[in-house]
């Protein structure tokens, strides 16, 4: 494994398990087993590494969603696949257990106008766009209702992942998926 990958893996594990601000560069270097200069050869700053972490966590979810999409046939299925991909991500073996959405946890550590928070907001907006696109393909859903439903479904998604993180297990995601499935059946 390259030094860069060692640094990334160490940082990503520490950021998720201990928090970003609680994790210093020296801790990352020690866990990665690399020299300090090696860190700076690959990442100009801790912020660069944090942005890498955010991008990787989102990409991991996108990859899980892509797998789930292969099993879908309808727009409704694509919406439900979002919840399944969140659960898949939550059920990964985490060092200190499941602590909720790594993106939301990270965003909570930064000021509202920070680059890190904007990054997470863009990633979450992409997921909302997946919901909206699917809702727009359902003939019985008017476009104004699609906007409202997108917000409703996203609120439930982010709320259940937050609560699942507080409780330390992802079971709430299936409950949220059932609520959304019932809502979709009524459309």
């Amino acid at each position: 494994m390259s030094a860069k990958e060692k640094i990334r893996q160490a940082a990503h594990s520490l950021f998720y398990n201990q928090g970003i601000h609680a994790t210093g560069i020296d801790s990352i270097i020690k866990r990665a087993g690399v020299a300090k200069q090696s860190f700076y050869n690959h990442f100009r700053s801790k912020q660069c590494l944090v942005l890498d972490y955010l991008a990787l966590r989102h990409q991991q979810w996108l990859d899980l969603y892509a797998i789930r999409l292969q099993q879908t046939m309808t727009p409704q299925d694509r919406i439900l696949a979002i919840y399944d991909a969140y659960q898949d991500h939550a059920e990964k073996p985490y060092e200190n257990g499941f602590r909720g959405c790594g993106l939301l946890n990270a965003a909570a550590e930064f000021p509202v106008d920070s680059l890190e928070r904007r990054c997470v907001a863009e990633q979450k907006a992409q997921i909302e766009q997946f919901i909206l696109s699917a809702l727009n393909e359902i003939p019985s859903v008017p476009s104004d209702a699609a906007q409202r439903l997108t917000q409703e479904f996203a609120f439930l998604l982010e709320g259940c992942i937050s609560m699942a993180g507080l409780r330390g297990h992802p079971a709430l995601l299936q409950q949220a998926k059932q609520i959304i499935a019932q809502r979709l059946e009524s459309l």
Side-chain angles (χ1 to χ4, degrees):
M1 178 183 316
S2 72
K4 183 176 184 176
E5 279 308 305
K6 289 178 184 178
I7 294 165
R8 288 175 92 199
Q9 282 188 5
H12 293 206
S13 179
L14 290 169
F15 288 163
Y16 185 76
N17 289 299
Q18 297 178 5
I20 292 170
H21 290 313
T23 301
I25 291 174
D26 289 339
S27 299
I28 295 166
I29 291 167
K30 181 178 179 182
R31 183 164 183 155
V34 300
K36 192 172 235 178
Q37 188 57 44
S38 186
F39 175 90
Y40 287 107
N41 286 342
H42 297 290
F43 298 96
R44 289 184 322 229
S45 66
K46 184 177 174 183
Q47 183 184 44
C48 290
L49 186 55
V50 169
L51 294 173
D52 179 79
Y53 166 72
L54 297 174
L56 180 63
R57 286 218 44 112
H58 186 58
Q59 188 59 55
Q60 288 170 341
W61 181 85
L62 289 171
D63 293 345
L64 292 169
Y65 183 53
I67 292 166
R68 288 294 186 159
L69 280 178
Q70 294 173 5
Q71 304 163 18
T72 65
M73 307 234 346
T74 66
Q76 293 90 332
D77 292 342
R78 289 200 321 270
I79 293 168
L80 296 175
I82 291 169
Y83 291 81
D84 288 331
Y86 263 65
Q87 180 149 7
D88 293 342
H89 207 238
E91 289 178 345
K92 287 184 169 279
Y94 293 104
E95 190 174 307
N96 294 325
F98 176 64
R99 298 185 64 237
C101 176
L103 298 177
L104 292 179
N105 293 347
E109 293 195 49
F110 293 94
V112 172
D113 61 345
S114 68
L115 179 59
E116 295 84 357
R117 291 264 305 243
R118 287 193 309 269
C119 178
V120 172
E122 288 170 11
Q123 293 164 337
K124 295 298 185 177
Q126 183 181 19
I127 295 168
E128 287 183 37
Q129 188 58 48
F130 294 154
I131 297 169
L132 181 60
S133 295
L135 285 169
N136 281 330
E137 291 180 32
I138 301 172
S140 62
V141 178
S143 62
D144 61 325
Q147 290 285 344
R148 183 181 44 75
L149 286 168
T150 296
Q151 272 196 324
E152 186 179 313
F153 292 3
F155 289 164
L156 184 59
L157 178 64
E158 299 305 337
C160 78
I161 196 73
S162 295
M163 291 302 298
L166 285 173
R167 294 183 182 169
H169 59 82
L172 290 177
L173 287 156
Q174 281 306 303
Q175 292 175 5
K177 179 185 172 188
Q178 290 170 358
I179 293 168
I180 296 302
Q182 289 171 354
R183 194 81 167 89
L184 288 168
E185 286 174 15
S186 70
L187 299 177

